[in-house]
Amino acid sequence: MATFPLAPLPSIISSSSYSSVRSLPTRALRASATEPSDPILASRSLYPPRREFLKGIALQALPLLLLKDSSPSLAKEVEVGSYLPPSPSDPSFVLFKASPKDTPALRAGNVQPYQFILPPTWKQTRVANILSGNYCQPKCAEPWVEVKFEDDKQGKVQVVASPLIRLTNKPNASIEDIGSPDKVIASLGPFVTGNTLDPDELLETSVEKLADQTYYKYVLETPYALTGTHNLAKATAKGNTVVLFVASANDKQWPTSQKTLKAMLDSFQV
């Protein structure tokens, strides 16, 4: 049976009444706590419980917390078209330019800024703290997820970053220094699929140059992938990091979204 802590007695109770209350057996006190007319229960309305007091403080502070965290949280609840600018190259898309306020690695200077386009109806999704690299910046030993966006009807995209040292001992290596497209995807494949990558699932590879940056591009059919049965990927290396852009869709999404996902992939650059 639950017991109630005895709140301070109000001044209207005389000392003789208090003595009589104290003399009551413990069982009687427990039973009397449920009686509306009990003076001890009445006193609880004069001295609000600590939980209610703290709850009131929390409710007053909530708007301030929301304002403080409005940038990341609100962006994850609304369509990106409501806060990202139209893409100069194609106004039917919006342009996402990653900045230090977006990810721990960018704030630590561990990743160079990157950008890509996406449909205005997509939404940004939260990246779990343990996956974001927040706990290990600026010297993470394993890859981490930078940002994620998705749309229920079209698919999802994410940017994954890997420490360069995981792929090569050469500092500031280019993607070509690391190896061929096949060698790079063999190392990064699990971060495309979410589990494993079979060499037979790689359908197409290509090499693209944008300014002085080289990118490896991949088309994969991955029936057992956690990310989706269809995956597109694009990788490059800059500074101390290899950056991987992944666009994924399931069989239902792919027929109508593959053109959109390919446009997003093509737009990605560091």
Side-chain angles (χ1 to χ4, degrees):
M1 180 181 296
T3 60
F4 295 90
L6 300 182
L9 293 173
S11 58
I12 60 173
I13 299 178
S14 64
S15 59
S16 60
S17 299
Y18 179 62
S19 299
S20 64
V21 170
R22 292 183 60 189
S23 66
L24 288 174
T26 303
R27 182 177 300 177
L29 282 175
R30 291 178 178 174
S32 67
T34 61
E35 297 292 335
S37 59
D38 183 30
I40 296 178
L41 185 61
S43 72
R44 292 170 64 84
S45 64
L46 298 178
Y47 298 86
R50 182 172 179 270
R51 180 182 297 177
E52 295 300 317
F53 177 73
L54 294 177
K55 181 179 179 182
I57 294 177
L59 288 175
Q60 293 181 21
L62 184 59
L64 296 177
L65 293 175
L66 289 177
L67 286 173
K68 182 179 180 181
D69 197 35
S70 60
S71 177
S73 61
L74 294 181
K76 295 171 177 59
E77 299 297 333
V78 299
E79 296 180 349
V80 295
S82 66
Y83 61 91
L84 291 180
S87 167
S89 60
D90 187 344
S92 65
F93 289 86
V94 294
L95 179 64
F96 173 75
K97 284 187 174 183
S99 66
K101 68 181 179 63
D102 292 308
T103 76
L106 282 164
R107 286 192 290 274
N110 211 18
V111 171
Q112 298 299 312
Y114 49 85
Q115 65 180 47
F116 54 90
I117 62 172
L118 64 161
T121 55
W122 282 47
K123 296 179 180 180
Q124 187 171 4
T125 59
R126 295 183 182 275
V127 177
N129 190 57
I130 194 171
L131 299 177
S132 71
N134 187 40
Y135 65 95
C136 61
Q137 297 297 337
K139 293 185 178 181
C140 294
E142 294 296 327
W144 64 89
V145 178
E146 280 281 290
V147 293
K148 295 172 68 174
F149 296 84
E150 66 178 27
D151 180 273
D152 291 340
K153 296 180 179 179
Q154 293 186 302
K156 54 192 172 185
V157 299
Q158 62 179 334
V159 176
V160 179
S162 173
L164 189 64
I165 191 67
R166 195 174 185 276
L167 300 175
T168 179
N169 291 323
K170 182 178 181 180
N172 297 311
S174 66
I175 196 77
E176 298 105 321
D177 294 330
I178 296 173
S180 66
D182 288 351
K183 179 182 178 181
V184 171
I185 198 61
S187 298
L188 299 178
F191 304 101
V192 174
T193 63
N195 44 21
T196 60
L197 177 66
D198 190 297
D200 295 337
E201 296 173 340
L202 181 59
L203 301 183
E204 182 182 329
T205 65
S206 59
V207 179
E208 177 183 67
K209 280 197 175 285
L210 294 174
D212 59 346
Q213 198 70 25
T214 301
Y215 298 83
Y216 290 167
K217 297 171 64 176
Y218 306 93
V219 178
L220 307 101
E221 188 171 309
T222 51
Y224 306 110
L226 297 178
T227 51
T229 48
H230 301 272
N231 278 286
L232 305 172
K234 187 174 181 178
T236 192
K238 192 166 187 178
N240 296 318
T241 311
V242 175
V243 185
L244 179 70
F245 181 88
V246 183
S248 309
N250 57 37
D251 286 331
K252 184 177 180 181
Q253 298 164 334
W254 182 249
T256 56
S257 67
Q258 58 177 305
K259 184 177 179 181
T260 297
L261 296 178
K262 287 179 178 178
M264 296 167 71
L265 183 85
D266 289 340
S267 71
F268 176 76
Q269 56 181 300
V270 177

